[in-house]
Amino acid sequence: MIQPTDSFEEIDSAVVRFAGDSGDGMQTVGERFTDSSAFAGNDIATLPDFPAEIRAPAGTLAGVSGFQLQFGNTKILTPGDEPDALVAMNPAALKSNIGDLPEGGMLVVNIDSFKSMNLKKAGYESNPLDDEDFRKKYHLIELDLTGLTKEALKESPLKPSDKVRCKNFFALGFMYYVYGRPLEPTLKFFEQKWGKRLPDLAEANSKVLKAGFNLGDTMETARNRYQVSKAPVQAGVYRKISGNEALVYGLVTASRKANRELLYSGYPITPASPVLEGLSQLKNFGIKCVQAEDEIAAMGVALGASFAGDLTVCATSGPGMCLKSEFIGLASITELPLIICNVQRGGPSTGLPTKTEQSDLLQALFSRHGDCPIPVIAAHSPSDCFDCAIEAVRIALTYMTPVILLSDLYVANGAEPWRVPNVSDIPVIENSFAKIEEEYVIYRRDPKTLARTQAIPGQVGLEHRIGGLEKGEDGGVSYDPDNHEEMSHLRAQKVAGIAKSLDPIEIQGEPEGDLLVIGWGGTYGAISSAATNLRDEGFSVSNIHLRHLNPLPDDLGDIIGRFKKVIVPELNLGQLNLLLRAKYLVDVISYGKLQGKPFKVSELHEKFLEHLR
Amino acid sequence: MSTTITEENNLTKKDFVTPNDVRWCPGCGDYAILNAVQRTLPELGIPREQFVVVSGIGCSSRFPYYMNTYGFHTIHGRAPTVATGVKVANPDLSVWMITGDGDGLSIGANHLLHLLRRNLDINVLLFNNRIYGLTKGQYSPTSEVGKKTKSTPLGSVDHPINPLLFALGSEATFVARTTDTDMKHMIETFKAAQAHKGTSFVEVFQNCVIFNNKTFDSVTSRDAKQDQLLTLEEGKPLVFGANKDKGIRLNGLDPEIVTLGDGIGHDDLLIHQPSNPNSAYANILAQMTYPTFPTPVGVLRQLDGRETYEDALIQQIEYAQSKDSDNLQELLTGQNSWVVEN
């Protein structure tokens, strides 16, 4: 561990971005920097940003992959608007990222890659590093990463081409020096990942990482070092967690708490595939994972298994949600519990498969034919995916209904420190099972929740038939007009009644005032930061963040009524806005953004201010 | 499929009849199939609560409503996926999937293919009436070329799917055909399907009395069936005809009809071997169609020994559980946690 020295400048937070070719290992170094910062006790938020193509042609703008993180000594809610330091591994990475680096920002470039061919591929007519104005604008640090890496690995038995591939860790080592990061977590990572299988590679990467660090120590230009001390957090055991990981763990935990076997069925799709992969790793927890032939089949398998008594889950993204719609309708009319996670990405159609968006909210609420209300909840941060998974299961099993859980690419791929809960502190989830000793009437309802009870195939004497046709209370097919109306009302009332089980909305700021900001999903960090800043500046602004999108909480209308203005920022063209206008007849100000990127704190700050003046 | 026979039970057909009115058209072939299934299940030695009948959409798919078992009437074409979910959730259940030519081979062909190749221990009964009945008479994927229907006034131009070739192409481990006109043969075939461990695919020639009446009469009517049907029996030569005087032999890769006598005996004929690992033989049978050949009925192919999907899946879980802990707290904490003390 590096001890702080006098040369450290103490700062509250810093934003670092790594950018390079998609084959350069930028996601890996970003992840490692995150681990190291978590280990150092900082709070963190991350933003991986990669192209849809696995390996676009090397050196081109299309192939640039980036990873940004913010770490600090206070609560860090976003990965930062703009980087304080940018590492650019080639001209294409420089070109596509330099616009975000403010004047005076630290710019570390791999000069070895600034050759005519690469410059041309990136669309540079001349080498920007030769431009005096450019050089003066930034705190430029030029490193021959390729040469330095080769030099550090003179003795290594690796092939020359493999040696060069270690250069990302040279850059990482250098940045560790600049920000006084501990090397231990990364050295441990090398050992865990390659120590047994490829010990030469583990050794080489360790050597290169240390060489990068040591270069900082000896290099005149890198004398600026920064120190970010520990963030004050509640005592406990912490780990770093991404949204998709938290979703996986939440589902496993919920299945334990509900005492139901977990069956996950999915079809690979960006950015939800890590949920399928993550649960597939956990067979020791008894989890059944089915990789189905398509999105429809994934849903059918889950519904069949739900009928047979398992706790069942699908995760997908927008295009998959489109395909699942008909089955969601069947799950609704048969009133079977099921969790459908939509890790949203840019749409419509294939859209922006690797960029974030919140544009599936109305789809989640309304994409079935018929009157078919489904509970919808949304996770607001990576670790919140854990709590939302448990909440989704609670709703599904208590109310006998499919539940849609919205996440998004930003939440799913982002990571933050997470205080690991004590499993025994998490409440048990009750099932709505039929009793063998009682007469079984399929759609007879609990008067409180309006949920039906579930009988499981294999149970003696409870044989019954369900299906997609409208039915009476006894499950018999019924085309009676009054019955259909009554059944439709009952299903709607059941879902609406979930609101009674919700905690009051938590308001950040005063309970009344000039401006109320209403957010949902992954925009939490940016909204909360911007609103907090404005409150600190003395403005009357409060913010709430909705986890439950259907039904909306009962106290929302009152809260809205206590503010002069209401603004809803969302990464779509105004979907929650539409819902709030329809339900509360309120003139909501909509602020949408559709660039495949999360909100910046600064743009929200500016927008809110516009309505506060 | 096969489910372990656990106990003697005294079930009868009556135990499988629901009080619901059966709403198929009078004279529909589905009545006979329902009757055959209701007569088959009590004889299997499986408790009633272990049966689950899953269907898609179409006339045939109303089937679960008429079976006093667990049942799920799902959506069009997707029954194989729901049946898969039921079986994976509880492999002890005896799962019967009911589908039709439109449900199973048009909208749901993809799912059917994957069910067959995965070899879940499920019985699939595909009622083939070569027409869309519930939507009132459009041509189906098994309708013959030139079929004139409401949606094909000048005749269908689609080449039809041969359900048996489809199942064989999907490497199904049990492929059979029976007809709604032969109660005894249906029951025998359904029992064989249940006895097979793996996905059992049974095509049932079924008459739609309203929109495609008598479509199979050329082979299933009382007059025709002696000469036009080839009833397959394991280990026996391929013999047919009212007088059992005709047979099928192989000439190169092609089957041909021969008349017995004049130096041609049973030894010259193909012997029915449904367990032949080479699928060429079953494919030859599946392609034999009246009027060029007699149409085969019975078990064309039965391969034992391929593991079922659910067994393989459960085995992996058991292996993982024998090797690694299932401590949830340890999972959540992970290997790279840190402790913050105040």
Side-chain angles (χ1 to χ4, degrees), chain A residues 232-559:
Chain A
V233 291
Q234 202 184 343
V237 176
Y238 282 77
R239 63 171 288 166
K240 185 196 72 167
I241 199 156
S242 74
N244 276 341
E245 279 172 337
L247 187 55
V248 165
Y249 293 154
L251 293 169
V252 177
T253 304
S255 119
R256 278 282 173 90
K257 289 293 171 181
N259 197 21
R260 275 205 195 208
E261 289 186 19
L262 181 62
L263 181 142
Y264 177 86
S265 122
Y267 185 75
I269 184 169
T270 303
S273 300
V275 182
L276 167 65
E277 294 161 2
L279 284 163
S280 298
Q281 305 286 331
L282 301 178
K283 296 196 197 308
N284 46 320
F285 286 82
I287 295 161
K288 293 168 241 181
C289 269
V290 174
Q291 182 174 317
E293 59 270 24
D294 60 33
E295 293 281 0
I296 300 173
M299 183 70 194
V301 170
L303 193 60
S306 173
F307 176 59
D310 280 356
L311 169 63
T312 64
V313 182
C314 293
T316 184
S317 193
M321 284 303 282
C322 291
L323 290 166
K324 292 183 191 303
S325 292
E326 190 186 5
F327 254 131
I328 299 175
L330 181 64
S332 164
I333 198 168
T334 53
E335 303 186 50
L336 283 170
L338 181 73
I339 313 299
I340 307 126
C341 309
N342 176 0
V343 186
Q344 298 167 92
R345 66 190 215 189
S349 190
T350 310
L352 303 172
T354 60
K355 307 292 169 198
T356 200
E357 214 164 272
Q358 296 183 294
S359 46
D360 299 348
L361 176 61
L362 294 180
Q363 180 198 40
L365 266 90
F366 301 120
S367 72
R368 282 77 53 193
H369 69 280
D371 271 293
C372 182
I374 303 279
V376 178
I377 67 172
H380 71 244
S381 73
S383 64
D384 190 48
C385 290
F386 181 85
D387 297 334
C388 282
I390 293 173
E391 173 65 355
V393 173
R394 178 191 74 85
I395 294 173
L397 297 184
T398 307
Y399 294 90
M400 289 291 288
T401 175
V403 175
I404 294 175
L405 165 50
L406 295 174
S407 169
D408 62 52
L409 190 141
Y410 168 73
V411 164
N413 289 348
E416 63 182 354
W418 178 49
R419 187 165 166 272
V420 179
N422 206 331
V423 172
S424 54
D425 295 343
I426 298 169
V428 164
I429 299 170
E430 302 291 342
N431 286 284
S432 182
F433 287 136
K435 295 188 177 73
I436 290 199
E437 62 273 16
E438 288 175 12
E439 180 203 9
Y440 184 48
V441 181
I442 308 174
Y443 296 97
R444 184 167 289 167
R445 293 165 194 284
D446 178 307
K448 214 172 108 212
T449 60
L450 296 182
R452 75 173 182 97
T453 57
Q454 186 178 9
I456 310 295
Q459 288 185 301
V460 183
L462 302 182
E463 292 88 349
H464 66 280
R465 275 69 53 197
I466 57 171
L469 290 166
E470 187 60 280
K471 72 280 159 161
E473 189 183 58
D474 63 359
V477 173
S478 167
Y479 304 136
D480 178 69
D482 291 339
N483 175 69
H484 175 54
E485 192 162 51
E486 188 193 346
M487 282 292 169
S488 300
H489 275 302
L490 279 170
R491 287 188 290 266
Q493 283 163 15
K494 177 178 82 167
V495 172
I498 294 166
K500 289 190 292 232
S501 70
L502 307 182
D503 291 337
I505 294 174
E506 188 192 328
I507 305 173
Q508 292 186 11
E510 295 301 318
E512 57 186 26
D514 293 343
L515 181 66
L516 175 68
V517 187
I518 305 179
W520 68 279
T523 54
Y524 170 74
I527 290 176
S528 189
S529 302
T532 305
N533 292 347
L534 282 163
R535 280 194 291 274
D536 290 349
E537 291 164 32
F539 290 98
S540 166
V541 51
S542 300
N543 61 295
I544 57 177
H545 214 74
L546 300 176
R547 168 179 283 177
H548 296 88
L549 282 316
N550 193 41
L552 289 164
D554 283 341
D555 51 347
L556 181 56
D558 280 349
I559 296 173

Side-chain angles (χ1 to χ4, degrees), chain A residues 263 288 290 297 299-310 312 336 456-458 466, chain B residues 1 49-55 70-74 78-97 115 120-122 310 314:
Chain A
L263 181 142
K288 293 168 241 181
V290 174
M299 183 70 194
V301 170
L303 193 60
S306 173
F307 176 59
D310 280 356
T312 64
L336 283 170
I456 310 295
I466 57 171
Chain B
M1 73 155 285
E49 67 275 7
Q50 293 296 114
F51 288 108
V52 181
V53 183
V54 179
S55 67
Y70 284 95
F72 202 162
H73 177 223
T74 71
R78 319 301 174 196
T81 69
V82 175
T84 296
V86 170
K87 189 69 185 177
V88 172
N90 183 358
D92 292 338
L93 299 170
S94 173
V95 181
W96 293 70
M97 192 197 111
L115 173 63
L120 284 108
D121 197 7
I122 290 172
E310 66 275 17
I314 300 294

Side-chain angles (χ1 to χ4, degrees), chain A residues 206-225:
Chain A
S206 303
K207 213 170 237 175
V208 168
L209 183 79
K210 287 177 193 161
F213 189 94
N214 293 336
L215 178 77
D217 210 7
T218 53
M219 199 172 155
E220 200 60 28
T221 49
R223 275 299 172 206
N224 289 19
R225 293 188 78 190

Side-chain angles (χ1 to χ4, degrees), chain A residues 499 550-554 556 577-586:
Chain A
N550 193 41
L552 289 164
D554 283 341
L556 181 56
N577 161 56
L578 193 71
L579 294 178
L580 297 180
R581 283 173 169 265
K583 177 147 188 192
Y584 301 106
L585 297 176
V586 56

